[in-house]
Amino acid sequence: MMRFLTSLLLGLTVLAAPVYAQSGPLRLELDQGIIEPLPFAVPNFVPDGPAATQYANDLSRVVAADLTGTGLFREISSDAFISRVSSFEAPVQFADWKAINAEALVTGAVNVSGKRLTVRFRVWDVFSGQELGNGLQFSGTTDGWRRMAHKVADQVYTRVTGESGYFDSRVAFVSESGPKNQRLKRLAIMDYDGANVQYLTDSAAIVLAPRFSPSGDRLLYTSYETGQPRIYVLDVDRVKRTELKTQDGTMSFSPRFSPDGRSIVYSLIQGGNTDLWKMDLASGQSVRLTNTPAIETAPSYSPDGSQIVFESDRSGTPQLYIMPANGGEATRISFKQGRYGTPVWSSRGDLIAFTKQNKGRFHIGVMRTDGSEERLLTSSFLDEGPTWSPNGRVIMFTRESQGASGRATLYSVDISGRNLRPVRTPDGGSDPSWGPLQK
Amino acid sequence: MNVLSKVIALGVLSVMAACTNNDPSALGGGAGGNGSILPGSPSDPQSPAYFQQTVGDRLLFEVDQSTLTGQAQTILQGQADWLLANTDFVATIEGHADEQGTREYNLALGARRANAAREYLISRGVAGNRLTTVSFGKERPIEICSTEECYSKNRRAVTVLTGSTLG
């Protein structure tokens, strides 16, 4: 994987741009409430030889699926195409794309030489006949073709919306199989779209709630391998895990990294009582952050590392609170009817996602950091555990279905509340943690 | 059943063996098993089977509560009497929650329940070093329907005899 990453990084090249007159480029403003998805076309990328044909087709389909999956774009079927793109260099026949109402067009070419794959692409604003940004080229190994497709799609997303994308990212989660009373759980990691699932533990011990480090190199998780729930840190590339020594004879869980990746905040149970602690990873030293007879759990740092949002039942029911990162007085931010849990601060800093339980239903919601403007995005028998996409536009979470045949499935939803969709995994899935955009 | 018989064997052989077994349900004799094979005879008052069946190894809780009901206290008194009479045994008290609640909150709630049972046993004279606790949160329900009838059985603390101090 590292070798692939390096070659991918080295392989980024800006193509010479054709010159066009500039006037108001195509732009999708995400904050203005997208109702109508933007129609686009991705004709299959042009292969430069037989070895590249399959890659060119597959890669274009992944680019299209990434964009369609956002709910912000609508792909125009190739059945409707008037123009065929048989050369990457030939001038685009804008009239033909306008005629089928494609507002954005992505053209590309793929070269395969041995194990090396190179993709070139351009994004076009069809109605103004201009190129959006410059043509780019990514190179890597053929094994990494999906990542290159995601990188192309991230570029398209960024050029059309003005915001960073989230397609070239991974999600850690718990793969689940078996009935509710005998669930087998394994830690797993996959591409954001459910491809390339890799298992990181076996199912011998219950594992819970992986959490990515800010750079994506490590995962924190909770495992019962000693018989007690305890926190482990796992090196993702080497799949090597280490137990984090909290305190003897105690249970620890619900860990999360600080934004600098150097410390963690977590829950420790002593004498039946759950409080928040913080551990410096280099020294292994822990300090107490809360000291109440209430349950304090599910901590999450603000992106600047100065504050922690967490869940506490000190008022009698679970509610959300914010305190300084070193502990101290906490301010309650959730006040509407219901029980609140698992708050997660967006990497953009503006919103907190949470789980809400009210009148027998579960919801994933978002609120501003002062608790205002609460919006519930989902509703079901059991939704829980939100995690943010790297760009703060999408939330992934666990949905568990009801009854004896109940199953856990990963879902994603746009922060507008639109585009609720399952994320396909080989077995059941729970406790997603969305990692950063890969370098 | 396999799991349960494993727990039984360990119970006789060694104090700590159960802790090295990575099968999660091995620790959850109360979590998974329904007990068709039991250690010893239920008619032998000194047997773990008698403890599990006659004394009662589990107590139930109200929604979100870790307060011991009158019935729970009666069961715990029986457990304390048994443990005081059978000093060879040590026990792990498992705390569990129903599925209505987040994973994290339920883990913490299960710990409260297990601890409430442990504290009561200690108040009745059982040595604290014979009693450990573990919370499974909502990870190991015994009933899997999604109605209050099942939930009420899942909100439990189960005292699992995990070994003998005689080794």
Side-chain angles (χ1 to χ4, degrees), chain A residues 43 72 80 109 129 151 192 203 221 252 256 258 350 357 370 385-387 396 421:
Chain A
L72 303 171
K151 283 201 171 294
Y192 97 99
S203 58
Y221 67 102
S252 53
R256 210 180 278 273
S258 61
D350 55 343
Q357 191 182 352
D370 61 1
T387 181
M396 202 179 286
R421 57 201 338 252

Side-chain angles (χ1 to χ4, degrees), chain A residues 180-181 183 185 204 211 224-225 227-228 251 271 274 295 311 313 339 342 362 381 384 402-404 431, chain B residues 19 22 24 27 64 99 101-105 107-108 112 115 133-136 138-141 144 146 151:
Chain A
K180 282 188 184 185
N181 57 349
R183 275 287 155 83
K185 298 195 168 195
R211 302 291 179 221
Y224 279 75
E225 64 183 75
Q228 296 275 336
M251 294 176 260
T274 303
I295 287 171
E311 164 186 351
D313 68 353
R339 303 152 57 88
T342 71
F362 278 78
F381 165 71
E384 72 171 300
Q402 195 166 354
D431 295 1
Chain B
C19 296
N22 280 343
L27 282 162
D64 268 349
E99 69 183 340
T102 63
R103 205 177 304 293
E104 290 84 352
Y105 187 79
L107 257 181
R112 267 184 183 165
N115 191 63
T133 59
V134 60
S135 174
F136 284 95
K138 61 174 171 177
E139 302 305 314
R140 284 289 177 264
I144 58 176
S146 295
Y151 291 160

Side-chain angles (χ1 to χ4, degrees), chain A residues 320 333-334 340 351-352 354 366-369 371-374:
Chain A
L320 306 184
I333 60 166
S334 60
Y340 294 78
L351 294 174
I352 288 169
F354 55 84
V366 293
M367 58 172 61
R368 302 201 69 82
T369 59
S372 66
E373 297 180 40
E374 175 179 319

Side-chain angles (χ1 to χ4, degrees), chain A residues 402-403, chain B residues 99-100 144-152 154:
Chain A
Q402 195 166 354
Chain B
E99 69 183 340
Q100 306 173 95
I144 58 176
C145 76
S146 295
T147 66
E148 174 54 24
E149 190 191 347
C150 287
Y151 291 160
S152 65
N154 291 334

